[in-house]
Amino acid sequence: MARPTASAPHCSTLRETLVARQAARESAARSYAQTLPIAPVLASGAVVTGADGRSYVDCLAGAGTLAIGHNHPEVIAALRSTLDSGAPLQVLDMITPDKDAFTAELLARLPCGLRDAARVHFCSPAGTDAVEAALKLARVATGRHGVIAFSGAYHGMTLGAAAVSGSARARWMFGAEGLGVTRLPFPYGYRCPFGVGAPLSAELSAHLLATMLDDPSSGVAQPAAVILEVVQGEGGVIPAPDSWLRAVRAITESRGVLLIVDEVQTGVGRTGTLWACERAGVTPDILVAAKAVGGGLPLAVIAYRPSLDVWAPGDHTGTFRGNTLAMVAGRVTLQVVTRQRLAERAARLGAVLVEGLHRLAARHPMIGDVRGRGLMIGAEIVDPAGAADELGARPAASLLAAALQTAALRNGLIVELGGRAGAVLRLLPPLTLTDAQAQLVLDRLTTACAQVAAQ
């Protein structure tokens, strides 16, 4: 089948045909395709054109994978040059000039404390495998097996990653309940698990962690590691307070427990610093990176303190760890993000979007909370007629959120849902989103809210 152009007269029929074929051929486990049936055929920067000929502002960006947008010219040029050079495209874990160049670029950009000194392990090309590698390494390096994780977390869908995630359904489905994971409350100000709200929620969460580690009768054996996200993504775009992150780092460090920070979605400038943990001045023992680190192509790594490099050859392996094109795209992406100061731009433009969403929330009580960091933003959708809890939070409204997502799509805006009950509207646009496109995002959400409110 010839590749369609955006102006082809049969575009609408093509979209319907592609969507119908996908439904007939692919599994029921597909997710984005269910709520975003647009069949993309062209993409540039923050704009995606569907097989129906319509263009959309993309605030999903491959779930945060496309830090510098679709088909960035520097990435495309580097990929073409590599393909023309005859370089091997898949080399397992052997060294190549392209791999060496990517590794040097990554090491130079890591948080202080790991920068230029860390060991890097290349994983199979998904973030969930990098989480598995981090958990394995922590256990091998410490000789301990327990892990402390947090409510609302999402670390992936493989067995170990599901075990340290918050979804009870995923843990039950995969039989991950017996893997020695202790779960503590994450500081979630809007729906505070302690009933006290921010900032006391963060203080209590850190205090509980210290108490559980210090109390010989807590029932929790000394764990190998604590794993966390600085901003919970799938959990509903919940930023951890800097003070909490610093407290967790101090608690783990003083007690010989490793700290694993999952930066699969937050890394490479997304939250306003190159790595989300840098804002609090925290360096983890093990940093997990994927998504944007591959420049839009599959790549996942962990970077960790050299003293932890005690595992043996083959302790964590896999075939697709030597993707040359992903390393080329990742190196260029890291360079572009750094040279163009896109992390700082994400902080500035994110503040503009958050301010606009607060104005929208003032007109539409279905938006219960607006939060985020940089260009990782969430708006929690609630039932405006529902009874508020003791902190003023109304019940999550998943059907309203789904209606808003659908209305946004009709108006040319791609957004994702997440959070408890899938009631958080999530914005993850490329860091190259222009000021004009940011205004389009707000305009189209404004229209979508008005349409849903009128139903």
Side-chain angles (χ1 to χ4, degrees):
M1 180 185 293
R3 188 178 183 194
T5 63
S7 59
H10 63 293
C11 276
S12 182
T13 302
L14 175 62
R15 184 197 70 82
E16 293 167 2
T17 299
L18 291 173
V19 170
R21 283 180 182 168
Q22 183 183 37
R25 294 170 173 172
E26 294 187 23
S27 81
R30 68 192 190 282
S31 56
Y32 299 105
Q34 303 274 19
T35 54
L36 301 169
I38 60 175
V41 295
L42 297 171
S44 178
V47 177
V48 167
T49 301
D52 57 1
R54 297 189 62 205
S55 291
Y56 304 83
V57 178
D58 184 5
C59 279
L60 177 58
T65 299
L66 299 160
I68 56 176
H70 294 272
N71 293 315
H72 190 280
E74 290 189 47
V75 171
I76 296 301
L79 292 176
R80 283 179 175 151
S81 176
T82 303
L83 287 170
D84 290 342
S85 75
L89 300 183
Q90 179 56 240
V91 295
L92 302 172
D93 64 2
M94 290 178 280
I95 192 64
T96 67
D98 289 311
K99 183 178 187 180
D100 181 69
F102 168 80
T103 304
E105 190 69 39
L106 176 65
L107 285 170
R109 308 299 174 198
L110 289 174
C112 181
L114 291 175
R115 191 171 304 150
D116 294 322
R119 292 288 188 272
V120 176
H121 183 78
F122 288 83
C123 306
S124 291
T128 187
D129 188 72
V131 169
E132 295 285 344
L135 295 173
K136 278 187 183 179
L137 178 60
R139 289 169 174 173
V140 170
T142 64
R144 302 188 294 267
H145 290 88
V147 178
I148 291 179
F150 291 91
S151 58
Y154 178 80
H155 297 290
M157 294 298 288
T158 49
L159 189 63
V164 294
S165 295
S167 170
R169 178 174 179 269
R171 295 197 311 279
W172 174 81
M173 283 178 62
F174 301 127
E177 293 285 6
L179 291 185
V181 177
T182 300
R183 206 167 313 278
L184 296 181
F186 191 83
Y188 180 6
Y190 185 66
R191 299 191 186 279
C192 176
F194 301 102
V196 296
L200 281 177
S201 180
E203 294 179 21
L204 291 175
S205 176
H207 181 72
L208 182 58
L209 172 62
T211 299
M212 291 191 75
L213 292 176
D214 292 342
D215 183 358
S217 297
S218 68
V220 178
Q222 186 81 341
V226 170
I227 184 169
L228 58 85
E229 301 156 275
V230 180
V231 182
Q232 290 192 339
E234 302 297 324
V237 193
I238 306 170
D242 293 341
S243 59
W244 178 80
L245 191 59
R246 285 191 287 266
V248 171
R249 172 70 285 190
I251 291 165
T252 53
E253 192 168 36
S254 64
R255 292 158 177 82
V257 176
L258 300 182
L259 177 61
I260 302 171
V261 173
D262 180 345
E263 294 253 15
V264 168
Q265 195 165 97
T266 54
V268 194
R270 168 65 52 190
T271 65
T273 50
L274 196 64
W275 306 100
C277 61
E278 290 182 299
R279 170 178 152 138
V282 164
T283 298
D285 299 296
I286 306 172
L287 182 141
V288 182
K291 291 191 186 293
V293 83
L297 297 180
L299 184 63
V301 301
I302 59 172
Y304 52 91
R305 290 194 290 106
S307 61
L308 302 178
D309 197 33
V310 297
W311 45 10
D315 276 358
H316 193 80
T317 188
T319 300
F320 291 103
R321 296 182 294 145
N323 187 328
T324 297
L325 294 180
M327 293 175 192
V328 168
R331 172 180 56 81
V332 173
T333 295
L334 285 166
Q335 290 172 341
V336 170
V337 169
T338 303
R339 185 178 71 246
Q340 297 185 2
R341 304 178 67 88
L342 292 182
E344 293 91 330
R345 174 171 176 75
R348 182 187 67 77
L349 202 56
V352 171
L353 287 169
V354 165
E355 182 182 353
L357 287 171
H358 276 300
R359 291 195 301 268
L360 191 57
R363 301 200 303 273
H364 292 284
M366 72 176 78
I367 302 177
D369 190 39
V370 175
R371 54 185 180 256
R373 199 165 284 170
L375 286 174
M376 189 172 182
I377 299 167
E380 185 153 351
I381 309 304
V382 301
D383 177 2
D389 65 16
E390 64 273 16
L391 297 175
R394 300 190 183 279
S398 54
L399 293 180
L400 263 181
L404 271 173
Q405 182 188 38
T406 300
L409 192 66
R410 284 198 304 266
N411 287 282
L413 179 64
I414 299 172
V415 294
E416 171 61 330
L417 299 179
R420 274 71 164 174
V424 177
L425 209 66
R426 301 181 59 207
L427 302 181
L428 287 168
L431 311 186
T432 52
L433 188 79
T434 67
D435 290 0
Q437 288 168 339
Q439 187 56 53
L440 272 179
V441 171
L442 292 173
D443 292 345
R444 291 174 183 183
L445 280 177
T446 298
T447 301
C449 282
Q451 291 170 342
V452 169
Q455 290 175 358

